[in-house]
Amino acid sequence: MAAACVMVLGTTSGAGKSWLTTALCRYYSNLGLKVAPFKAQNMSNNARVVEGIDGAWGEIGSAQYFQALAARAVPEVRMNPLLLKPEADTHSQVVLLGQVSEPLTALPWRGRSAVVWPQIAAALDQLRAENDVVVIEGAGSPAETNLHASDIVNMRVARHANARCLLVTDIDRGGAFAHLYGTWALLPEDERALIHGFVLNKFRGDASLLAPAPQHLQERTGVPTVATIPMQWHHGLPEEDGVFDDRSTTPGAVHTTVAVVAYPRISNLDEFQPLKNVPGLRLQWVRSPADVAGLRPSDWIVLPGSKATAADLAWLRAQGLDQAIAAHAGQGGTVLGVCGGLQMLGEALIDPEGIDGNGPGLGLLPLVTVFEPAKTVQRTAAQFGPLAGAWAPLSGVAACGYEIHHGQTAQHPAMAAKGDVAREVMPGIAWQNPAGNVLGVYLHGLFEDAAVLHALFGAQAPTLETVFDGLAEGVTRHFNPGVLDALIA
């Protein structure tokens, strides 16, 4: 018998679809059911390495990775069969069932739908055959009528799975009831029938003041408002698309600022979420030299991953951040580069195949990166060798994470011949400068490793299991009684 399907749609991007889908995955798993998440198409540069087809590693959106963990399922590529990784405002790399597809990347947006839908439908059907419940996440809004004919992620999926849908809106932005009504009204009649409940998310204030709006909305649509979920700054999941802000900072006295450079094609920001949960740490964006002007040497500057390393490095220079980062490093300040950030820290980017772009690096590590057509996509477990300076606590620590990169990095041969050699503290994966304050790593997900957090900060962030159970408890409390169980009856 095919699994029951519950689908979370949103009136806008950022309404709370990913968060609510994750919570429902744990809620239904807690009932003893076999649960899997699904999102037909995700557009994000936040990706995870998971089990692929025929034993190969593959990529899916980070949201579906966390949803699988919440469902107590092994994350795999069928849970997000199509992943679009933006490389420019009008161009994305297309990943189908975990693997980069150059032919699909070259296709026009509208022409792609007919090609990929059979594989998307097959992935969903397979998950339905293997599970009791599939919790499906939509994308953007289902009422974008310009996209309806080529839709492969919202109502076409809902119709295919005969899913019972929840429509969630961000009431903190205002206009929530208009968003809900307008979205419902723009759907065809057969698709309206699939909407079983409205959800008000990110509510602040006295819920009794909402009346009589929910009643009026139900009178017009026949759809009840089944939950009012309060604003939650500290739920413990990465924010949608990895975004964070000062309002979600861990309470208490701040002893260390972690300043993350927010270049335009930033990727895999979700891996820094555990730092938000460490008492005394503050994460902040860096977009200009003024943002790092007050940092102390003990504070960090982080160059995160990038989907377009050469272009983001050029942007960084245009802002004057190259000099600001060099000045921080020059006074002994702590600097970390992850993946694309590691490549930026080196002496040069060399791109003979036209993969990313050529350019000089920041020169903080005597390394050179060559971009190759073959993409490294793998889970990795390795142990740090001896480190010096600010990173010394990581010496001997075993860490698990994942790699996603076209670049291959090595010692700069001419500099090495003159004795200027970076300390290779994890073979082929991590390098440190002689002074000990600059570290570059290819390993994503370091801060999700409890041993790494404890070594660096002597602290332990809440585990993901604790986070998932908290999310499930929240939806139990804020949904009307019986609604969630009725969706799968």
Side-chain angles (χ1 to χ4, degrees):
M1 182 176 178
C5 292
V6 176
M7 189 165 187
V8 180
L9 303 166
T11 58
T12 61
S13 294
K17 295 184 293 292
S18 296
W19 177 93
L20 182 54
T21 301
T22 308
L24 295 182
C25 283
R26 177 49 59 101
Y27 174 86
Y28 290 121
S29 177
N30 282 347
L31 298 181
L33 300 169
K34 188 177 181 183
V35 181
F38 181 81
K39 184 168 185 174
Q41 175 180 281
N42 201 346
M43 178 176 281
S44 177
N45 277 330
N46 293 323
R48 293 296 172 120
V49 176
V50 301
E51 291 188 3
I53 306 299
D54 297 328
W57 294 111
E59 297 179 66
I60 64 171
S62 292
Q64 283 64 63
Y65 171 83
F66 288 112
Q67 289 160 7
L69 297 183
R72 299 184 174 93
V74 176
E76 46 120 327
V77 296
R78 293 180 302 171
M79 296 169 177
N80 175 208
L82 194 66
L83 174 63
L84 309 181
K85 304 187 78 172
E87 297 178 321
D89 288 343
T90 58
H91 177 76
S92 295
Q93 183 185 67
V94 178
V95 179
L96 179 64
L97 290 172
Q99 303 301 313
V100 175
S101 172
E102 296 299 340
L104 287 176
T105 298
L107 277 180
W109 179 286
R110 295 183 188 276
R112 194 181 296 146
S113 299
V115 178
V116 299
W117 173 251
Q119 294 176 81
I120 288 172
L124 175 55
D125 291 343
Q126 290 162 14
L127 291 175
R128 293 182 69 199
E130 297 167 12
N131 292 276
D132 301 315
V133 177
V134 176
V135 185
I136 305 171
E137 181 183 345
S141 163
E144 295 177 13
T145 54
N146 58 312
L147 301 177
H148 192 272
S150 57
D151 171 43
I152 54 170
V153 66
N154 285 310
M155 300 314 295
R156 186 171 186 180
V157 172
R159 294 195 309 269
H160 182 83
N162 193 29
R164 295 180 176 180
C165 300
L166 299 170
L167 181 62
V168 59
T169 193
D170 178 357
I171 196 171
D172 191 53
R173 294 185 179 185
F177 294 103
H179 283 165
L180 290 168
Y181 179 76
T183 301
W184 176 88
L186 284 171
L187 295 177
E189 192 67 35
D190 62 326
E191 295 178 0
R192 291 180 189 174
L194 298 174
I195 307 297
H196 284 249
F198 295 139
V199 176
L200 301 172
N201 190 31
K202 305 181 185 179
F203 180 74
R204 293 188 279 184
D206 181 355
S208 67
L209 298 177
L210 293 171
Q215 179 184 345
H216 288 169
L217 187 61
Q218 185 169 355
E219 290 169 356
R220 287 169 170 80
T221 65
V223 179
T225 297
V226 296
T228 301
I229 300 174
M231 179 70 76
Q232 301 180 66
W233 298 118
H234 304 291
H235 53 63
L237 269 187
E239 299 296 334
E240 290 177 313
D241 295 323
V243 173
F244 53 83
D245 58 46
D246 288 340
R247 292 172 295 182
S248 56
T249 300
T250 299
V254 174
H255 58 70
T256 303
T257 294
V258 177
V260 181
V261 180
Y263 21 74
R265 297 301 166 199
I266 194 167
S267 67
N268 293 80
L269 271 184
D270 54 291
E271 65 181 306
F272 301 113
Q273 167 66 35
L275 295 180
K276 289 171 53 180
N277 300 331
V278 174
L281 289 191
R282 180 171 71 94
L283 267 67
Q284 73 171 54
W285 291 116
V286 170
R287 294 187 175 93
S288 73
D291 296 330
V292 301
L295 295 184
R296 302 161 299 172
S298 59
D299 295 325
W300 296 15
I301 292 180
V302 177
L303 281 70
S306 167
K307 193 64 185 69
T309 303
D312 277 346
L313 182 53
W315 173 89
L316 186 149
R317 281 199 167 91
Q319 312 311 308
L321 278 165
D322 56 334
Q323 298 177 39
I325 294 167
H328 183 70
Q331 65 174 356
T334 306
V335 177
L336 173 67
V338 181
C339 197
L342 154 66
Q343 296 166 356
M344 293 181 191
L345 291 175
E347 290 290 330
L349 307 174
I350 300 174
D351 187 14
E353 303 290 338
I355 305 298
D356 190 291
N358 298 290
L362 298 176
L364 296 181
L365 290 172
L367 304 172
V368 62
T369 296
V370 178
F371 293 104
E372 298 182 355
K375 189 176 188 180
T376 298
V377 177
Q378 62 189 27
R379 300 286 304 177
T380 300
Q383 185 174 18
F384 282 103
L387 290 95
W391 303 103
L394 289 177
S395 299
V397 173
C400 296
Y402 58 101
E403 297 179 62
I404 307 176
H405 54 92
H406 280 283
Q408 298 300 320
T409 300
Q411 302 282 350
H412 190 292
M415 299 180 73
K418 297 178 180 179
D420 189 358
V421 178
R423 181 183 292 112
E424 192 169 13
V425 295
M426 196 179 273
I429 299 174
W431 296 263
Q432 184 184 34
N433 68 336
N437 60 313
V438 179
L439 176 67
V441 300
Y442 266 123
L443 196 64
H444 288 289
L446 273 179
F447 303 115
E448 295 168 356
D449 191 300
V452 170
L453 278 184
H454 189 268
L456 288 172
F457 306 110
Q460 185 169 345
T463 66
L464 282 173
E465 285 298 301
T466 301
V467 170
F468 296 146
D469 284 335
L471 297 180
E473 190 277 330
V475 295
T476 302
R477 186 167 68 252
H478 298 299
F479 269 76
N480 294 344
V483 167
L484 296 180
D485 292 350
L487 289 175
I488 62 170

